[in-house]
Amino acid sequence: MRIPSELHGESLYRGTRGRHRPTQSWRRVIRLSIVLALVVVVMRQASRPGVYQMFFPEPSQPGAVNVARTITPSTNTSAPTQISDATGRRTGLNTVDSDISSGLTLQARQRFERWVDSTSEDELILALATWLRGELLPAELDDSLLVGRPADAAILAVMIQDKLIRLAKDGTVWRAADGAGLYSTLGMHQTNGVRFQALLHQRAAPVVAGVLPLLQQPDVYRGKSLVAQGEVVRIEKISSPANLNHRCKEFGINSYWNLWLMPEDASRRPWMVVVSDLPTPLQSLTHLHAVNQTPTSETDPSASQSDPNKVVFPVSSPRPVVEVAGEYLKRLSYQSASGAELTPVIVGHIRSYRTNGNPTVSAAISAAEPSNADVMQTDDEVPLVWIVVGSAVIGVLFSVWVFWRTSVLNRQLRQRRDRRRVTLGMAIATLAAAMSATSSASGQSLSDLLPGYDRPRMESIAENIRPSLANPGFNVDELAKLVFRMDRLSETVLKERLEQSADEPVIGDAVAVDDTVVESQTFTVGSNLQEYLGIDRVEMLRVSPVNGYPRFVVARGSSQGMSSGDHVKGVAVSIRVSGMDKMPGFLLDVAGRLGWQPAQPASPSERVLAMQGIDLGRLAEVDLLDRKPLSESDSPVFYPMIGAAAKVAVHLSDSEDFGKSVVAMRQNATDASPVELLQNPTAFTGQWIRLEVEAVRITRVAVQSEQRRREIGGDAYYEIDAIGDLGKVQLQIEVPDGEPVVMENRYPVTIVTREVPSFLRHSDDADGRLVTTLNRAILVEGFFYRLWSYDSDFMKQRGGKQFAPLIIAGVFDDLRPDSDDPMGVHAIGQIAAFAVVGAIFGAIVFHWVTRRGDKESRKRRYG
């Protein structure tokens, strides 16, 4: 039976559809499954926060490097070595810590010091250069020094180096006087030198330094062992000139390298390190090009005139990062595009470096050691971290003991050096002068510090004074002159005189004022004297009687005015004692400025400050320093306020009176903003405020004065550079002879604190690190001090100074979320992954149901 062609074609068509449709559908299912599987993989990866680190990187860690090379021969130099000294200080010699550990006796160390101090520069250079060459000290020197052990010679070498470094002229271009310190330090840091290892064992552990502390406090860090870190922006090869001083030729330094670094502390100010040896991979950078002119890059420092002994090698980005350990020599003056600049100079050796993606250095390392080209540094294991922490604690305790012992020995040494032989005639004259002085002045007399105010003049001032505040009958101008003299004397000198004698005070003696005001009266100084003395009024206070005699104190007038119940404290000079004449006996003392603590403070923050002994009368004077740099005028309030803020954090939960005052102060804290502090700073002076900022850099500032150290409760404080939110406010800063500078969105804020909270420290930071960079949102509570000004590169280019709010902080809160996944990326990724898997199963089920329905439909249709 023949089938019609039209039916045959239809039958063939249907048969073809029946055979190939399931195959095409399964292919689509397979492709869909593969795509969805890839989506699942991507979403699973999206649930891991580490995926986003390439877009939002954390601050780089010293261990996270591409290819790192360490050239220091010691056993553990993969990370910067931090100093363990809790005080962060050493004496003028670099060997204090090593002297004790190496067993150097006190007599030997004193003998070394005397020899170094009394020996000429030429002899010191000869002795040091001879020893560095691997030879023994010259016989005549060895006999006089009695160097008994090899370690003693290394200690002596460091002492010599310290003296030669201090001969350098700070703040100038290279001078002839700098040669001894420069070449001796280069010779001591030659990594292939025979004495290099011996010197490493006798040096104090170096501190990671920063540009700003070295520029601001050069005398503190001169000759100290430091570590400089940064990107190499330029390399200079310096050939020693042919006419080099013969003293420096002793060290055999024919050439050395200047490396200009861009620091990693966000200062954007280049600094220089000088090394005698340059590793081979870094020398590969010098094979690319050599020019004798200054690079044009804005980040490169400008050189002076062309020097035939200098060859300059600019380094293009990406630049390698180096870590140089050495000693701080001086601040070097150089010419830049913006004029004369200063940069700190550290002379030493390259301790480690990393390629930082530089292809030239990477290729040089690969060519030298191909097997190590892809080595990655890993983080330290936990046991090593605990070892480091334990060692740091032991080092801190040991260093505290060393510092105390050294201070005692140095004091004894100074006393012995001050002894002088005098002739008999001089001794008799001195004894006669002392006897004559004793007859008219006691050990606590201030007569010699008050020229023109001898005992007769003081008696004449107090002669006609009556014990009545309403009508005392004294000459205001004459008393104001004595008040002016007393106000010019330092607190330290006054306290020293007060402690010299416990005898009954006489006229002209220093007497203590530490009492409560019974009543007070203000008197105006004559207009002719106000401008000359800087005092417009004096205040006569009646305080508690002494041995039944009324006591009155005349002092400089306070801006707030003293009232009954206020507490005053200070040192005065006695000008009237009991029984001075036939008039009723009373005591009269004259002081310059008295510390004032009101009986009823105006705010809880002032109560806390008063309980810490801070003179609240000076707060009004702080406002007069608005927008000025920090100076000595700030010291009487600035340093005690740092100590007070630090004690606030300690007494947060204290049940005593001070603790209760702290709680009340924090409850009444003002939520301030940078705009409010800039618009009306005087309204916030001395007030406890709360402010949200973003911390970007922490700088350690050393404090040298013993009095200021006692006031803050430590030998240093920390300056935190932060950024505050201006909101929608646009700020204009007037610049002399220029267009106003417009700032918006963010504005700098400066925070000062005695202690940095642990969450603001990097895990690898030690107590000695001078500068730390970070990026952390924090909530700060502290006393607002004032607006202060400082130099910044941004404002300097526009002809002005940067000013910012200065907050003395005591309490910090971390504004980072507690969760490891604050944005919920992990949860979102998990939900998306389950949704995709569900969609895949849903698509499979839908396809299976649809296919089953089609099959049933075909069966019903075609039987």
Side-chain angles (χ1 to χ4, degrees):
M1 180 178 179
R2 295 185 61 183
I3 299 176
S5 59
E6 60 273 13
L7 294 182
H8 175 73
E10 184 179 357
S11 175
L12 289 176
Y13 173 74
R14 290 180 178 176
T16 303
R17 291 185 62 187
R19 288 194 307 267
H20 293 280
R21 184 176 179 181
T23 303
Q24 295 175 355
S25 300
W26 277 111
R27 288 177 179 174
R28 287 195 295 268
V29 171
I30 293 173
R31 287 195 296 268
L32 177 62
S33 301
I34 293 174
V35 172
L36 292 179
L38 292 175
V39 173
V40 171
V41 172
V42 172
M43 297 306 296
R44 289 288 296 175
Q45 293 295 324
S47 66
R48 302 178 182 178
V51 174
Y52 300 94
Q53 291 180 358
M54 61 181 298
F55 302 105
F56 307 100
E58 291 291 329
S60 59
Q61 301 296 327
V65 297
N66 296 335
V67 179
R69 305 289 296 161
T70 302
I71 66 172
T72 305
S74 57
T75 57
N76 183 17
T77 56
S78 59
T81 304
Q82 303 294 338
I83 193 169
S84 302
D85 192 348
T87 63
R89 293 177 285 118
R90 289 179 288 166
T91 62
L93 301 176
N94 280 338
T95 58
V96 176
D97 296 337
S98 58
D99 291 347
I100 305 300
S101 61
S102 61
L104 185 66
T105 63
L106 173 62
Q107 293 78 9
R109 185 164 63 85
Q110 292 176 347
R111 186 170 63 252
F112 286 177
E113 290 177 354
R114 288 194 298 268
W115 183 82
V116 170
D117 292 338
S118 60
T119 305
S120 66
E121 181 181 346
D122 289 340
E123 291 178 326
L124 293 176
I125 291 176
L126 174 62
L128 180 58
T130 301
W131 183 78
L132 288 177
R133 289 195 296 267
E135 304 174 13
L136 298 178
L137 292 175
E140 61 274 11
L141 300 181
D142 189 59
D143 292 340
S144 61
L145 291 175
L146 298 178
V147 179
R149 302 177 303 128
D152 296 351
I155 295 173
L156 178 61
V158 177
M159 289 182 175
I160 295 174
Q161 178 205 14
D162 184 78
K163 181 177 180 179
L164 296 179
I165 285 177
R166 296 186 182 279
L167 296 176
K169 302 297 183 182
D170 183 65
T172 64
V173 297
W174 289 118
R175 299 291 181 90
D178 307 331
L182 173 63
Y183 282 92
S184 62
T185 306
L186 285 173
M188 298 175 73
H189 282 277
Q190 287 182 308
T191 55
N192 57 353
V194 295
R195 303 295 191 185
F196 182 73
Q197 287 290 345
L199 289 170
L200 281 182
H201 294 301
Q202 299 305 326
R203 292 187 186 277
V207 179
V208 178
V211 174
L212 297 182
L214 301 186
L215 289 176
Q216 296 170 353
Q217 296 181 296
D219 295 334
V220 175
Y221 300 106
R222 178 76 66 84
K224 301 297 178 64
S225 296
L226 302 173
V227 174
Q229 298 174 335
E231 294 184 0
V232 181
V233 297
R234 188 172 70 180
I235 301 175
E236 298 172 349
K237 184 176 182 180
I238 309 297
S239 300
S240 300
N243 59 350
L244 180 67
N245 192 306
H246 71 280
R247 296 174 300 176
C248 299
K249 287 184 178 179
E250 297 288 343
F251 297 102
I253 305 295
N254 298 320
S255 64
Y256 58 89
W257 303 86
N258 292 341
L259 305 181
W260 288 88
L261 308 182
M262 186 56 63
E264 297 180 322
D265 59 2
S267 62
R268 306 304 301 169
R269 183 184 292 268
W271 64 352
M272 178 190 285
V273 295
V274 183
V275 296
S276 59
D277 307 314
L278 199 64
T280 303
L282 294 182
Q283 288 190 24
S284 62
L285 297 171
T286 66
H287 299 159
L288 299 178
H289 44 253
V291 295
N292 284 318
Q293 59 186 4
T294 302
T296 58
S297 172
E298 295 182 358
T299 60
D300 288 342
S302 298
S304 57
Q305 300 297 326
S306 178
D307 187 350
N309 298 313
K310 179 193 297 184
V311 181
V312 180
F313 306 93
V315 180
S316 58
S317 183
R319 303 182 178 99
V321 177
V322 299
E323 182 180 88
V324 177
E327 282 71 57
Y328 177 44
L329 182 64
K330 61 176 288 184
R331 294 180 301 175
L332 178 68
S333 177
Y334 69 96
Q335 192 68 23
S336 69
S338 58
E341 298 283 357
L342 289 176
T343 185
V345 177
I346 293 180
V347 183
H349 65 277
I350 296 180
R351 188 167 72 170
S352 65
Y353 61 92
R354 62 179 186 263
T355 64
N356 200 31
N358 186 279
T360 304
V361 179
S362 299
I365 295 176
S366 301
E369 299 180 52
S371 60
N372 295 332
D374 298 328
V375 176
M376 302 292 290
Q377 288 190 350
T378 58
D379 296 333
D380 295 334
E381 297 180 357
V382 174
L384 181 59
V385 172
W386 284 110
I387 293 175
V388 172
V389 172
S391 301
V393 172
I394 295 174
V396 167
L397 297 177
F398 177 74
S399 300
V400 170
W401 178 81
V402 169
F403 174 77
W404 172 81
R405 181 60 181 168
T406 303
S407 62
V408 173
L409 296 178
N410 286 341
R411 185 168 61 252
Q412 295 175 355
L413 180 60
R414 287 194 298 269
Q415 292 174 354
R416 285 194 294 271
R417 288 179 176 176
D418 291 339
R419 296 174 183 171
R420 299 289 186 271
R421 295 182 179 180
V422 297
T423 62
L424 181 59
M426 182 64 70
I428 294 175
T430 304
L431 180 60
M435 293 178 63
S436 62
T438 305
S439 62
S440 60
S442 64
Q444 62 195 60
S445 175
L446 296 176
S447 299
D448 59 324
L449 301 177
L450 301 171
Y453 286 90
D454 53 6
R455 180 166 182 170
R457 184 176 181 182
M458 293 183 184
E459 289 179 347
S460 65
I461 294 176
E463 183 177 2
N464 298 322
I465 296 179
R466 293 183 292 271
S468 171
L469 293 183
N471 185 21
F474 61 76
N475 188 327
V476 177
D477 291 350
E478 191 67 18
L479 273 176
K481 295 177 184 178
L482 183 55
V483 169
F484 170 76
R485 292 286 188 184
M486 289 293 296
D487 193 32
R488 292 175 63 88
L489 300 179
S490 69
E491 298 179 9
T492 304
V493 172
L494 291 175
K495 290 180 180 179
E496 288 177 353
R497 292 297 177 91
L498 184 64
E499 296 171 355
Q500 284 183 4
S501 175
D503 299 335
E504 189 71 20
V506 298
I507 295 176
D509 281 0
V511 292
V513 179
D514 190 359
D515 211 335
T516 302
V517 176
V518 178
E519 56 179 334
S520 64
Q521 181 67 38
T522 302
F523 300 90
T524 303
V525 180
S527 57
N528 295 332
L529 278 179
Q530 286 186 14
E531 183 177 356
Y532 174 74
L533 301 179
I535 300 176
D536 56 353
R537 58 186 180 276
V538 295
E539 206 151 7
M540 189 172 185
L541 309 174
R542 181 177 181 179
V543 295
S544 303
V546 178
N547 298 328
Y549 293 100
R551 184 186 184 189
F552 298 87
V553 180
V554 178
R556 180 170 182 164
S558 173
S559 58
Q560 287 84 357
M562 299 183 186
S563 58
S564 178
D566 293 351
H567 190 86
V568 291
K569 186 176 182 180
V571 179
V573 58
S574 178
I575 66 171
R576 182 181 177 89
V577 296
S578 60
M580 181 175 171
D581 50 31
K582 296 181 180 180
M583 294 182 63
F586 67 94
L587 309 179
L588 180 62
D589 306 319
V590 178
R593 182 191 303 274
L594 292 176
W596 171 65
Q597 299 174 11
Q600 298 296 330
S603 65
S605 59
E606 290 190 0
R607 179 180 295 278
V608 171
L609 292 175
M611 296 179 74
Q612 290 300 309
I614 296 178
D615 181 10
L616 298 184
R618 292 183 179 269
L619 288 180
E621 299 178 7
V622 170
D623 296 335
L624 302 177
L625 303 173
D626 184 57
R627 301 193 183 192
K628 295 181 180 180
L630 288 177
S631 63
E632 186 62 28
S633 302
D634 294 284
S635 299
V637 179
F638 179 73
Y639 291 101
M641 194 175 287
I642 294 177
K647 291 183 179 179
V648 167
V650 178
H651 293 82
L652 293 180
S653 60
D654 200 336
S655 60
E656 299 178 355
D657 292 341
F658 181 68
K660 294 178 181 178
S661 300
V662 168
V663 173
M665 179 183 67
R666 295 195 65 197
Q667 290 176 347
N668 292 274
T670 302
D671 291 324
S673 66
V675 175
E676 295 172 335
L677 299 179
L678 292 169
Q679 289 177 339
N680 191 14
T682 57
F684 294 94
T685 301
Q687 300 302 311
W688 187 263
I689 65 172
R690 188 182 295 112
L691 183 67
E692 292 186 7
V693 294
E694 181 181 351
V696 295
R697 181 172 59 196
I698 302 175
T699 304
R700 186 179 187 272
V701 181
V703 179
Q704 296 179 275
S705 171
E706 289 295 336
Q707 178 183 352
R708 302 311 177 194
R709 287 174 178 171
R710 289 192 298 269
E711 290 172 348
I712 69 175
D715 67 327
Y717 64 87
Y718 293 87
E719 179 182 310
I720 303 176
D721 297 322
I723 299 295
D725 186 12
L726 288 177
K728 298 181 179 180
V729 176
Q730 194 176 67
L731 182 67
Q732 286 190 353
I733 302 177
E734 299 295 333
V735 177
D737 303 328
E739 294 293 331
V741 179
V742 179
M743 291 190 176
E744 53 187 350
N745 299 327
R746 304 200 301 174
Y747 194 84
V749 176
T750 304
I751 301 167
V752 169
T753 180
R754 190 184 71 182
E755 299 291 341
V756 177
S758 58
F759 67 84
L760 287 182
R761 295 180 181 271
H762 290 319
S763 59
D764 63 331
D765 284 354
D767 293 337
R769 181 179 284 267
L770 301 185
V771 178
T772 303
T773 56
L774 70 163
N775 187 2
R776 188 70 52 80
I778 59 175
L779 177 65
V780 177
E781 290 188 31
F783 298 105
F784 176 75
Y785 186 62
R786 67 176 177 90
L787 297 182
W788 78 302
S789 64
Y790 57 93
D791 292 324
S792 69
D793 295 338
F794 175 78
M795 290 299 297
K796 188 175 182 179
Q797 295 173 358
R798 291 157 177 81
K801 283 184 173 291
Q802 180 71 59
F803 64 90
L806 179 58
I807 302 171
I808 300 177
V811 181
F812 295 85
D813 288 329
D814 191 356
L815 294 183
R816 291 182 305 174
D818 296 334
S819 173
D820 294 334
D821 186 19
M823 300 180 63
V825 174
H826 181 76
I828 295 174
Q830 293 288 353
I831 294 174
F834 283 117
V836 170
V837 172
I840 292 175
F841 282 107
I844 294 174
V845 172
F846 176 78
H847 176 73
W848 180 77
V849 172
T850 304
R851 183 171 175 274
R852 183 184 179 114
D854 290 344
K855 186 177 180 179
E856 293 293 334
S857 177
R858 287 195 299 271
K859 287 181 179 181
R860 288 194 300 268
R861 185 171 183 178
Y862 301 109

